[in-house]
Amino acid sequence: MEDINITEIVNQVFLKAVNEGASDIHFEPLKEKMIIRFRVDGLLRVVSEIEPNLISLIIAKIKILANLDTTGLPRAQEGKIRFVREAKEVDLRVSVFPTNLGECIVIRILESIKVFEDFKGLGFTQQQTEIINSVIEKPYGLILVTGPNGSGKSSTLFTMLHKLIKPEINVATLEDPVEREIFMARQTQINPEIGLTFASGLRYLLRQDPDIIMVGEIRDKETAQIAVEAAVTGHLVLATFHTNNAAGAVVRLVNMDIEPFLIASALKLITGQRLARQLCNDCKKKYDPPKELFKKIEDNQISNFYHTEGCEKCNQKGIKGRTGIHEVLKISKEMQELIFTNPSDEQINILAKSQGMINLRSMAMQKVNEGAISLEEALRITE
């Protein structure tokens, strides 16, 4: 009977998190209890507390559901749970980690691939969407999606793949870990313990007759070199890259000692992105921002500013959902010629702007003017 109650408690936590649009569930030990926190729209909040006598039972139940070891001393573990909600399956990625107060469990809620059916839903403009669609239709080349952790890079990659997958095309991925199942794609999780890294996996994949390769992340020179070479020898390669903006991706590749002529030949498109918290439509109001914030605005076209005070519909947070802020850099012939000269970020940005690219700061300010986000949020994510 007790086990049935624990199962019900765990399932109710999962259901509540999914229904509230949480991205993560935290089971965090304190001295005399455990708290449960949800991350919604990038912010954590406490949703409930677990009584001391239930803590070990709940931890054990989650481990069992995730096929993790429940015996021996506490240790770091990772697993997956497939949770069914209203006849739909939701994948939960489970991470267990020991602390001085007990084991902490963080569960990432992985969205269905069906969520990523168009670029507009990710915050791309119509013009940016047209540029991306024109490039990903090419049979070969390197496309990089850049930004910090938690900026939505994986969502952009999966949307691209969703557009590209066809029965006549062989799609393969290397991921760490495999987050979402992609229909008709061969997905592989890297495992350095057995020698399967991004670099070695990419080498093996090239012998598997792929048309499109998705690399979860380019982390080192070897992976970058193989990805670039694959892109110039007839493969379409999609990858994420940790840089602050699109221009920074070119500079970082050069700093990795990749030959500029290879970079220029391989690169077709780079996107840079951030995730911004959207203002609640039910309680947002126009206002005049403080002078110290106003001084930071470079764009004189902004005339509308909004802020929120919170209401019942947004749980008094003033925030409801998040939207992507993007810059899209298409590699033109002029940009290729500039790459040959080992340019700086600034030189790349100047040329890109002259060719019509709208940078992250300007895109964020457009969202401010539209009333989608606050000025404070725009400055926070682009400073």
Side-chain angles (χ1 to χ4, degrees), residues 29-31 33 98-103:
L30 301 178
K31 279 190 176 182
K33 60 185 176 182
T99 75
N100 65 322
L101 296 176
E103 290 178 291

Side-chain angles (χ1 to χ4, degrees), residues 216-343:
E217 184 183 343
I218 293 178
R219 296 175 178 170
D220 52 60
K221 176 185 175 180
E222 189 179 7
T223 307
Q225 185 73 45
I226 300 168
V228 167
E229 290 174 356
V232 297
T233 55
H235 305 87
L236 183 61
V237 181
L238 314 176
T240 70
F241 207 33
H242 278 289
T243 59
N244 287 329
N245 53 32
V250 176
V251 176
R252 188 173 174 209
L253 285 173
V254 171
N255 290 340
M256 284 179 160
D257 294 327
I258 310 299
E259 292 290 346
F261 78 90
L262 281 176
I263 299 171
S265 299
L267 271 178
K268 302 301 176 187
L269 182 83
I270 312 171
T271 72
Q273 62 186 69
R274 300 288 189 277
L275 277 180
R277 298 164 190 150
Q278 293 189 111
L279 295 173
C280 172
N281 284 323
D282 292 289
C283 61
K284 70 180 181 184
K285 297 178 181 177
K286 275 192 173 184
Y287 88 123
D288 294 322
K291 289 182 179 179
E292 59 269 21
L293 288 180
F294 201 80
K295 290 176 182 177
K296 296 183 180 181
I297 302 172
E298 301 167 4
D299 192 341
N300 296 323
Q301 301 302 312
I302 302 174
S303 55
N304 300 313
F305 300 93
Y306 295 81
H307 73 156
T308 55
E309 297 177 354
C311 65
E312 291 184 4
K313 293 188 177 180
C314 62
N315 292 318
Q316 306 302 327
K317 294 186 299 180
I319 299 166
K320 206 167 186 182
R322 291 191 290 177
T323 185
I325 308 293
H326 305 269
E327 61 183 13
V328 175
L329 173 57
K330 185 177 180 180
I331 306 300
S332 62
K333 288 183 179 179
E334 293 81 7
M335 189 63 71
Q336 286 180 321
E337 292 170 0
L338 180 61
I339 292 172
F340 287 136
T341 68
N342 191 5

